[in-house]
Amino acid sequence: MSDTDNREPPETFIAKFHERWPEWGVAIAFIAPSERAALEAWLALLQEFADAAWGGSQAAPGLAKLAWWQDELLGWSRGARRHPLAQRLRSQTIDWPALGHALNVLPATREGAADGVAKALQPLAGALAQAEARLAGQPVGQDDAALLGAVLLGERALRHGDADEAQRVLATWPRHRGAGSRGRRIQAELLRRRLLALADRKAPQSLAAWRVLPLAWRAVRG
């Protein structure tokens, strides 16, 4: 990550998120217009974290990116920024230093069995639950961290392309339908659908619009 990224608009990273999750072209209709810009930027930010932690064939570049992100989030708390997503997110009442500190758990989760990784991810899941509650302007629910923990494991399984890992994640997927914000519930369900395909040893693909509409509607109802 270089300082030249600051000259890119945040839309560059939003587009990167939409390229991977085109379902949001439809699902965004279920999010209040005033909340859409921050939510899309937030989901794009989490995608950057996950790519750094579990993407690529070599660990070193991702570890360097995670260290960069920790420093960047600390800067956001002081009013500084280098990454374009700060334009949409820095002013949110999120504890950016706490979130940056929670990223410390990610390097140890690149390898290892799902059970051990799930435990290691708990501090990050908790920090994300706190951040998403603030982003949505709602209190943290008692099941929010459990949902975020499952989401993190699911993202890891997708990047590994491991059907057995996806099956293990799905077997322990939380059943609390009201956990998380509207945006989190929608994204979690989109992720779960791709994990189902991976677990069935099929290529995870985006859903057609006619399938996204009822899925998102059920998700926001909780």
Side-chain angles (χ1 to χ4, degrees):
M1 192 72 65
S2 67
D3 291 342
T4 58
D5 290 314
N6 191 37
R7 293 198 292 269
E8 293 187 69
E11 287 75 19
T12 299
F13 296 88
I14 306 300
K16 181 180 173 183
F17 170 75
H18 276 279
E19 182 178 0
R20 188 171 297 176
W21 297 97
E23 294 97 327
W24 272 100
V26 175
I28 199 71
F30 293 91
I31 304 300
S34 61
E35 300 173 2
R36 292 174 185 175
L39 175 62
E40 288 184 309
W42 173 254
L43 294 174
L45 177 67
L46 298 192
Q47 179 170 283
E48 294 296 311
F49 295 164
D51 284 346
W54 305 308
S57 59
Q58 300 294 324
L63 294 178
K65 286 182 180 179
L66 287 174
W68 187 94
W69 272 115
Q70 288 184 293
D71 184 64
E72 176 71 358
L73 295 183
L74 183 61
W76 289 8
S77 70
R78 299 193 299 253
R81 69 172 176 87
R82 287 173 291 179
H83 199 280
L85 288 174
Q87 296 177 35
R88 295 194 182 185
L89 290 173
R90 186 181 59 186
S91 62
Q92 297 295 321
T93 59
I94 292 171
D95 189 339
W96 296 115
L99 180 57
H101 180 73
L103 295 181
N104 278 337
V105 306
L106 285 175
T109 66
R110 186 175 177 90
E111 306 292 340
D115 289 346
V117 170
K119 184 176 181 180
L121 285 171
Q122 287 177 2
L124 178 57
L128 291 176
Q130 291 282 344
E132 293 196 353
R134 290 195 177 190
L135 192 67
Q138 64 186 45
V140 181
Q142 63 178 355
D143 301 315
D144 291 5
L147 179 59
L148 266 298
V151 165
L152 290 169
L153 287 172
E155 292 283 1
R156 178 178 182 264
L158 276 187
R159 282 161 178 75
H160 286 179
D162 188 325
D164 293 334
E165 186 176 345
Q167 290 171 2
R168 288 191 291 270
V169 173
L170 289 167
T172 58
W173 195 265
R175 303 301 178 187
H176 312 295
R177 296 182 61 86
S181 65
R182 280 190 169 201
R184 171 49 59 202
R185 292 198 296 271
I186 292 172
Q187 181 59 16
E189 186 58 21
L190 292 174
L191 172 62
R192 193 179 72 86
R193 294 304 176 100
R194 294 200 186 182
L195 290 173
L196 287 169
L198 179 59
D200 200 29
R201 289 175 165 75
K202 299 176 182 177
Q205 297 178 340
S206 59
L207 299 177
W210 66 269
R211 295 187 64 189
V212 175
L213 281 170
L215 179 151
W217 180 73
R218 289 193 298 269
V220 298
R221 289 187 66 194

